[in-house]
């Protein structure tokens, strides 16, 4: 029996706009031409895409550059089917159009490390950073670290959860783009410059980097496992993100988002899986979400057995609320 979905916070529809001229796509190396070039076998889910004669002429090689409405429509179809990967071009926001939002509770050392990484990267040295203190036990210490790193602090007197903290940052931001970074992350220099060009696509709401393991200062036996197959690491291949596809979500530990696309933001009632919920609501509204592993953000993975088990158990509790909100998509 199919389970009915319950809507979450509203997101606006995407603009009725095509990919810009100069934007290009290249067939994914895993996509195969068949039937003498009249069809493509690939994508996610795997499918056979038959090309009309006009589309076959436009896609004479493995690369397609957008020059008009027809090439834009074909490029978008290939991207959305995961049969091609983008080579973004066209007008896109720059670093001055970005605000970084850091939700945190009691991780003063992590915030100091994150701010140091942002200020050391020329692309983010001058960005506005909003640290949202979600009820930390020692707000004075966190405020001092934020001030030393050139960040502003927004405070919740009582913890409302990471979703509510991110939403507070979204409301306070005034720039076109918001970068969401958790306090246990360390962005690798160049990450922002890799992700921003994707926003040349006017229908793109969110693009996510690859979240890799930060070298552990006190490694445990689970460290090699987390380094290799962390639940936050979506792998080496770029892809569109959508439910029931090969890449159904990206973690909110590190996201670059078009602020207007997020609408009311995350579901503040969800303490876990709020990132999956947001991605699925965006996809349902017609927005695109992409993953680009060429950009890297390191993450402080758990190294002790107890911390690892607690983290995995917490992730598992997200299945029920996702099923309530999205029905069979959770499968």
């Amino acid at each position: 029996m199919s389970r009915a979905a319950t809507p979450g916070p509203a997101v606006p529809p995407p603009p009725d706009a095509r990919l810009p001229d100069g934007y290009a796509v290249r067939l994914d190396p895993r996509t195969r031409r068949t039937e003498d070039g009249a069809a493509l076998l690939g994508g996610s889910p795997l499918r056979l895409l038959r090309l009309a004669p006009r589309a076959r002429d436009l896609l004479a090689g493995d690369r397609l550059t957008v020059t008009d409405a027809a090439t834009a429509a074909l490029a978008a179809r290939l991207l959305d089917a995961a049969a091609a990967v983008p080579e973004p071009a066209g007008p896109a926001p720059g670093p001055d159009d970005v605000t970084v939002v850091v939700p945190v509770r009691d991780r003063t050392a992590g915030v100091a490390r994150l701010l140091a990484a942002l200020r050391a990267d020329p692309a983010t040295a001058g960005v506005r950073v909003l640290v949202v203190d979600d009820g930390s036990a020692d707000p004075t210490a966190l405020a001092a670290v934020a001030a030393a790193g050139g960040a502003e602090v927004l405070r919740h007197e009582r913890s409302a959860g990471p979703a509510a903290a991110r939403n507070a940052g979204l409301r306070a931001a005034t720039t076109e783009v918001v970068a969401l970074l958790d306090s246990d992350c360390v962005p690798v220099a160049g990450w922002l410059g890799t992700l921003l060009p994707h926003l040349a696509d006017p229908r793109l709401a969110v693009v996510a980097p690859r979240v890799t393991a930060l070298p552990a200062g006190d490694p445990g036996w689970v460290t090699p496992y987390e380094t290799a197959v962390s639940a936050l690491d979506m792998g080496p291949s770029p892809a569109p993100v959508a439910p029931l596809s090969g890449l159904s979500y990206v973690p909110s530990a590190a996201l670059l988002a078009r602020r207007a696309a997020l609408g009311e933001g995350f579901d503040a009632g969800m303490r876990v899986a709020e990132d999956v919920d947001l991605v699925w609501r965006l996809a349902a509204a017609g927005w695109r979400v992409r993953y680009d592993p060429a950009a890297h953000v390191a993450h402080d993975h758990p190294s002790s057995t107890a911390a690892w088990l607690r983290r995995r158990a917490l992730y598992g509790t997200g299945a029920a609320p996702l099923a309530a909100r999205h029905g069979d998509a959770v499968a």
Side-chain angles (χ1 to χ4, degrees):
M1 180 180 297
S2 175
R3 183 189 294 270
T6 301
V11 296
D16 184 16
R18 65 172 178 85
L19 294 171
D21 288 355
Y23 197 104
V25 301
R26 187 180 298 276
L27 290 183
D28 189 288
R30 296 164 292 186
T31 300
R32 298 288 180 264
R33 288 184 179 270
T34 64
E35 301 178 14
D36 294 326
L40 301 174
L41 180 64
S44 178
L46 183 68
R47 70 194 78 186
L48 185 68
L49 301 172
R50 298 192 181 277
L51 300 175
R54 173 60 173 155
R56 185 177 178 182
D57 291 341
L58 293 174
L59 191 63
D62 289 341
R63 187 175 186 273
L64 173 68
T65 300
V66 173
T67 57
D68 54 20
T71 50
L74 178 56
R77 178 75 179 94
L78 295 172
L79 284 177
D80 292 339
V85 294
E87 295 180 359
D96 291 343
D97 302 310
V98 178
T99 299
V100 175
V101 172
V102 182
V104 64
R105 183 185 181 194
D106 297 326
R107 284 182 179 159
T108 304
V111 171
R113 181 179 59 189
L114 169 57
L115 292 176
L118 289 173
R119 299 315 183 197
D121 184 347
T124 56
V127 298
R128 183 188 185 197
V129 180
L130 298 175
V131 174
V132 184
D133 179 358
D134 188 36
S136 293
D138 189 352
T140 302
L142 182 61
V145 164
E152 303 168 43
V153 176
L154 307 175
R155 175 160 169 82
H156 291 166
E157 291 299 326
R158 294 184 178 181
S159 175
R166 294 187 189 101
N167 288 346
L170 290 172
R171 288 191 296 270
T174 58
T175 51
E176 180 182 356
V177 181
V178 170
L180 301 169
L181 293 173
D182 282 359
S183 60
D184 50 4
C185 287
V186 179
V188 177
W191 66 282
L192 186 61
T194 299
L195 297 179
L196 279 172
H198 285 279
L199 292 171
D201 176 358
R203 296 178 67 93
L204 186 80
V206 170
V207 58
R210 186 174 187 180
V211 179
T212 55
L214 187 70
D218 184 21
W221 77 268
V222 299
T223 299
Y225 177 85
E226 278 292 288
T227 300
V229 290
S230 167
L232 303 182
D233 187 349
M234 300 294 104
S237 300
V241 185
L244 302 178
S245 72
L247 187 58
S248 60
Y249 74 96
V250 283
S252 55
L255 298 174
L256 189 71
R258 195 184 305 272
R259 188 168 59 90
L262 301 191
E264 297 177 16
F266 294 87
D267 189 331
M270 298 181 73
R271 293 280 182 141
V272 65
E274 74 282 358
D275 41 15
V276 185
D277 170 70
L278 176 65
V279 167
W280 290 1
R281 284 188 285 112
L282 289 168
W287 288 97
R288 294 190 180 101
V289 177
R290 289 208 63 85
Y291 169 66
D292 186 352
H296 285 247
V297 170
H299 182 268
D300 199 357
H301 295 337
S303 58
S304 73
T305 303
W308 179 81
L309 287 171
R310 285 194 299 269
R311 180 73 61 88
R312 289 296 175 131
L314 178 65
Y315 290 161
T317 64
L322 285 176
R325 287 162 174 76
H326 301 280
D328 293 341
V330 79

